[in-house]
């Protein structure tokens, strides 16, 4: 049972445009969400997070939006740069637990 | 200055062998994790230790045994390796358990069973 889903395995975007990566979840007990970026042959690196008490968190070119009623979060990258080309994972943690559940990732390719 | 380092980076071995993967973090974190990323790219938690104490033990065959000699190290020993153990294994750490926190990952160990 996959509690965190990233339904788009890949996405291509022109440099300078907005990249929108989506993530859906099924567990209403999730209260903390993170996005990680992963380059080939490296481990995931933390990008941005959001608590369930908020609906938006921004850090530079990266903004995460959370829609609790739809159980959906998205990562916006504006403007997209070629160096953003990587696999992006969303992850979620349920209240009172220490375990993070990861999605399967979306490969973003930013075209120059 | 690698924050979370794991060795070896690649491990190729025969079925039935026993092998270990080592992980060390120099971030001063209390909590460490082992994840397995399989061929379908699922990144699944296997174990977690907090200050050398086991706090997460997912449904993993008991051929897998983690060992934390101190809070900066979490090693993974695998007995009687099987073909299905082929995967990338990631070690990670986080500050502690006081609230949700991001994890810092190593670069992974790619295990291939022949």
């Amino acid at each position: 049972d996959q509690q965190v889903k990233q339904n788009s395995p890949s996405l291509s975007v022109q440099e300078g445009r907005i990249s929108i990566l989506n993530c859906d979840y099924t567990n209403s007990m999730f209260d903390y969400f993170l996005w990680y970026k992963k380059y080939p042959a490296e481990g995931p690196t933390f990008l941005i997070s959001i608590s369930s008490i908020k609906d938006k968190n921004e850090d530079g070119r990266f903004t995460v939006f959370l829609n609790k009623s739809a159980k959906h979060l998205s990562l916006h990258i504006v403007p997209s740069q070629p160096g953003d080309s990587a696999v992006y994972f969303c992850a979620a943690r349920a209240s009172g637990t220490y375990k993070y559940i990861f999605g399967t990732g979306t490969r973003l390719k930013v075209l120059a | 200055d690698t924050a979370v380092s794991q060795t070896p980076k690649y491990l190729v071995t025969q079925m039935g062998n026993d092998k270990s993967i080592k992980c060390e973090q120099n971030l001063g974190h209390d909590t460490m994790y082992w994840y397995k990323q399989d061929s379908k790219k699922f990144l699944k938690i296997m174990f977690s230790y907090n200050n050398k104490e086991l706090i997460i033990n997912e449904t993993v065959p008991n051929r897998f045994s983690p060992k934390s000699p101190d809070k900066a190290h979490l090693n993974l020993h695998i007995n009687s390796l099987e073909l299905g153990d082929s995967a990338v294994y990631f070690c990670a750490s986080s500050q502690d358990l006081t609230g949700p926190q991001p994890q810092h990952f190593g670069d992974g160990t790619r295990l291939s069973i022949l």
Side-chain angles (χ1 to χ4, degrees), chain A residues 5 9 14-15 21-22 25 39 41 52-53 60 82-83 92 100 104 108 112:
Chain A
K5 297 179 185 179
Q14 285 294 129
E15 182 179 5
L21 297 108
N22 295 304
Y25 61 95
Y39 292 120
S52 61
I53 61 173
Y100 290 85
T104 48
L108 173 67

Side-chain angles (χ1 to χ4, degrees), chain A residues 2 4 31-32 34 36 38 41-46 49 51 89 93 97-105 107, chain B residues 9-10 33 35 37 40-45 48 55-56 58 90 97 99-108:
Chain A
Q2 206 180 326
V4 178
D31 67 347
Y32 186 65
L34 310 94
Y36 288 85
K38 185 183 179 304
E42 293 183 11
T45 54
F46 170 70
S49 65
S51 162
F89 290 94
R93 196 193 84 153
T97 72
Y98 305 125
K99 191 168 84 169
Y100 290 85
I101 309 293
F102 281 76
T104 48
R107 182 177 300 279
Chain B
K9 195 168 178 70
Y10 299 96
Y33 310 81
Y35 284 86
Q37 186 180 34
K40 293 183 180 177
K41 306 303 180 188
F42 285 108
L43 198 63
K44 287 185 181 174
I45 183 78
S48 178
I55 56 165
I56 296 175
E58 286 296 287
F90 288 98
L97 296 177
Q101 293 162 19
Q103 295 164 339
H104 298 252
F105 284 81
D107 286 341

Side-chain angles (χ1 to χ4, degrees), chain B residues 9-111:
Chain B
K9 195 168 178 70
Y10 299 96
L11 188 50
V12 181
T13 190
Q14 303 268 5
M15 240 177 16
N17 284 351
D18 303 339
K19 289 292 176 187
S20 291
I21 308 172
K22 294 187 176 182
C23 180
E24 176 182 3
Q25 53 94 5
N26 63 6
L27 296 166
H29 288 171
D30 286 349
T31 312
M32 295 185 73
Y33 310 81
W34 275 110
Y35 284 86
K36 177 181 179 181
Q37 186 180 34
D38 61 21
S39 56
K40 293 183 180 177
K41 306 303 180 188
F42 285 108
L43 198 63
K44 287 185 181 174
I45 183 78
M46 299 174 70
F47 302 102
S48 178
Y49 273 71
N50 186 63
N51 266 324
K52 303 194 299 174
E53 183 184 340
L54 183 66
I55 56 165
I56 296 175
N57 186 355
E58 286 296 287
T59 310
V60 173
N62 57 16
R63 298 182 294 104
F64 290 78
S65 52
K67 283 197 171 47
S68 182
D70 55 62
K71 72 175 193 177
H73 295 84
L74 180 61
N75 304 322
L76 183 65
H77 188 76
I78 316 170
N79 288 329
S80 303
L81 281 157
E82 299 177 357
L83 287 175
D85 298 333
S86 294
V88 182
Y89 293 83
F90 288 98
C91 177
S93 72
S94 63
Q95 183 72 51
D96 51 39
L97 296 177
T98 55
Q101 293 162 19
Q103 295 164 339
H104 298 252
F105 284 81
D107 286 341
T109 295
R110 184 174 294 277
L111 174 63

Side-chain angles (χ1 to χ4, degrees), chain A residues 59-80:
Chain A
D59 183 1
R61 296 185 299 115
F62 302 92
T63 303
V64 56
F65 295 93
L66 176 62
N67 182 334
K68 287 187 287 294
S69 59
K71 294 193 177 72
H72 177 84
L73 67 156
S74 60
L75 174 69
H76 293 210
I77 307 173
V78 162
S80 301

